[in-house]
Amino acid sequence: MVWVAATVVGLGFLIALEIASRRYGARGPITDQAREVIFAPRSGTVLYASMALMMVVLTWRQRFIALGAAVGIDVVFWLVRWAVGAEMMFGNGALWVTLACGVIAVTRRTGRDRVLLLKGVGLALLLVAGRKTGYAWLLITSKTRPRVLDQYVATADHALGNPSWLAGRIVATTGTVGAHILEWVYIQLAVAAVAVALYQLRHVAVERRFPGHHLVRTFLVIGLLGPGIYMIFPVVGPVFAYGADGGHWAVADLWPDTPPPVGTPQRMPFDEITPRNCMPSLHTAWATAIFIHALKGPWVLRFAGAFWLIATLGATLGFGYHYGADIIAGVVFTLTIDMALRSLDRGWDRSAKRFVVYGAAVFTAFLVSYRYLSTEMAAHPWVFGPLFMLATASVVYGYARIARLSELTAVPAHLPEPRREPQHEPV
């Protein structure tokens, strides 16, 4: 019943976004996804990563069959597109195989096998749908929030030392090589998430069950709640509000060479194209989620998680997409959400309840301070800067402490015996 209710709510949400996108003359997430069954996808990497998530419920033989079918279908699409001169992109095969597994689950499987395969297919489609809904949300923020609060955040950022301006100059000195590496890490964040998720879900096919808490849950909830904050606190970022990318809408062409002067901030009009997607930094939030979930893996995964977090911070600040204030808000946002989801699985004890309330209070205090105390923050940076960093560190410490205690006191779950009847093949 929970899965049915979640499906109904999710479908209603997608339909609402579809209608809203149509009002602004753009394709909605449902239409955009349906086109990718035939037309060139936006990102073939995401479609294959989503199929990889779905394959955690399959046996190794079924995985090889599914992967071979996906590659074969993509080769056919590639040849046809090459012959007719259409846009070249891969990924249709992965989407076809994922949808085919959904059909097989309904028509060829029964009982727990059907439920497990449908969960795998649903997980894959949720990742794809999350990316499509993200595009729709960004469009809606640019159309419905004509004025942005960048001047408030930029003023508050003086208390943190204007890290975006500093990181922008550092990235500029690294040349094209450093910029290309950071850009690749920034764009392929979902691939890193899938790598960590595959490690967490590696026993699903044998145990015939999903773990109670894993990265994909946190990843999706961050993507669901974050855009709502965009609507409340619209910010476009320093490269647009204070840089050449903002054109005549920018306050001045200051980024990254000259920090903005401290003045009286006010709402400023901006174009109807640039997304208001800065507060909080969801790229930082997702990279933080990847890091904390990778900590329970082998050293290679821990190293990759730390690298992705550091590189993502460098990209978000160094490319001028975010202010420092967005970054610390994103960290608090993620840790609060992950603790809430962890508690839903392992039970709500007193420490978890207090932490979630505390994390939400710190996040709210950050937003209120950026909006109403930004001038005071800029005037007293040696007071507010350490105070805000200490508040962020307290959330990090609280999360680490509670997570460590829950691991030490966790009772091993009783796993059902693997089913011994032969498994049906998907192809």
Side-chain angles (χ1 to χ4, degrees):
M1 291 301 297
V2 172
W3 278 85
V4 171
T7 302
V8 172
V9 172
L11 183 59
F13 179 66
L14 287 175
I15 293 174
L17 285 180
E18 182 76 23
I19 295 172
S21 300
R22 294 281 181 170
R23 286 185 57 191
Y24 297 115
R27 292 192 301 266
I30 299 176
T31 306
D32 208 20
Q33 187 58 64
R35 291 182 80 256
E36 293 188 354
V37 175
I38 301 297
F39 296 97
R42 285 196 184 188
S43 175
T45 305
V46 171
L47 291 176
Y48 269 93
S50 301
M51 186 184 72
L53 279 181
M54 182 270 297
M55 291 196 299
V56 299
V57 306
L58 305 179
T59 64
W60 278 106
R61 182 172 183 271
Q62 293 168 347
R63 292 169 186 171
F64 285 123
I65 293 173
L67 181 59
V71 173
I73 293 171
D74 266 328
V75 169
V76 174
F77 270 95
W78 188 88
L79 292 174
V80 172
R81 288 179 181 138
W82 176 74
V84 300
E87 180 185 358
M88 304 300 292
M89 178 54 71
F90 64 95
N92 300 88
L95 181 58
W96 278 44
V97 168
T98 301
L99 295 175
C101 286
V103 174
I104 290 170
V106 174
T107 60
R108 301 279 299 276
R109 298 289 180 88
T110 58
R112 286 173 53 195
D113 293 334
R114 171 185 288 175
V115 172
L116 188 67
L117 184 53
L118 283 177
K119 285 183 178 181
V121 173
L123 200 63
L125 294 180
L126 275 175
L127 183 61
V128 176
R131 195 175 182 91
K132 299 301 180 184
T133 56
Y135 294 142
W137 263 117
L138 296 183
L139 172 68
I140 292 172
T141 62
S142 65
K143 299 296 184 182
T144 61
R145 293 296 180 267
R147 294 180 177 272
V148 297
L149 302 176
D150 281 77
Q151 292 187 27
Y152 292 91
V153 183
T155 302
D157 229 34
H158 282 277
L160 302 175
N162 297 302
S164 181
W165 271 257
L166 175 61
R169 293 193 294 271
I170 293 175
V171 170
T173 60
T174 63
T176 57
V177 176
H180 285 319
I181 293 175
L182 291 180
E183 182 181 19
W184 184 83
V185 169
Y186 187 85
I187 294 174
Q188 301 299 339
L189 186 68
V191 177
V194 169
V196 176
L198 288 177
Y199 175 80
Q200 292 182 319
L201 305 176
R202 65 194 184 281
H203 297 311
V204 170
V206 175
E207 297 174 355
R208 314 304 294 166
R209 62 187 289 274
F210 279 85
H213 181 54
H214 51 84
L215 174 61
V216 181
R217 298 175 70 201
T218 305
F219 215 76
L220 292 173
V221 173
I222 289 172
L224 179 65
L225 298 180
I229 310 299
Y230 293 166
M231 302 293 286
I232 299 172
F233 211 104
V235 181
V236 295
V239 73
F240 298 104
Y242 292 93
D245 289 6
H248 69 276
W249 297 96
V251 177
D253 188 2
L254 301 176
W255 188 89
D257 300 316
T258 307
V262 177
T264 303
Q266 57 185 351
R267 288 176 177 266
M268 54 181 286
F270 215 78
D271 62 35
E272 296 185 359
I273 301 174
T274 307
R276 281 63 165 150
N277 61 339
C278 281
M279 183 63 69
S281 168
L282 291 197
H283 262 80
T284 300
W286 284 320
T288 303
I290 291 171
F291 173 70
I292 60 179
H293 282 267
L295 289 177
K296 297 173 66 176
W299 71 269
V300 175
L301 202 63
R302 295 196 299 269
F303 174 81
F307 167 77
W308 225 274
L309 175 59
I310 294 171
T312 299
L313 292 177
T316 54
L317 292 173
F319 291 149
Y321 297 150
H322 290 281
Y323 303 91
D326 310 335
I327 303 300
I328 60 175
V331 172
V332 174
F333 186 69
T334 296
L335 297 180
T336 304
I337 289 174
D338 193 79
M339 180 58 69
L341 294 176
R342 175 190 289 266
S343 300
L344 285 175
D345 173 49
R346 305 192 179 188
W348 286 92
D349 56 20
R350 182 178 299 178
S351 59
K353 292 178 181 177
R354 286 188 298 191
F355 176 84
V356 172
V357 172
Y358 177 69
V362 170
F363 180 75
T364 303
F366 280 3
L367 297 187
V368 173
S369 299
Y370 299 158
R371 176 61 178 84
Y372 297 104
L373 296 176
S374 59
T375 305
E376 289 76 8
M377 290 177 65
H380 305 284
W382 292 105
V383 175
F384 285 95
L387 179 63
F388 275 66
M389 296 306 297
L390 183 62
T392 305
S394 69
V395 174
V396 174
Y397 172 77
Y399 177 89
R401 178 177 175 274
I402 295 173
R404 188 183 305 113
L405 289 176
S406 66
E407 292 294 333
L408 293 175
T409 59
V411 178
H414 172 70
L415 301 179
E417 291 293 328
R419 294 179 65 90
R420 300 188 180 278
E421 56 264 25
Q423 300 295 319
H424 301 293
E425 300 298 336
V427 180

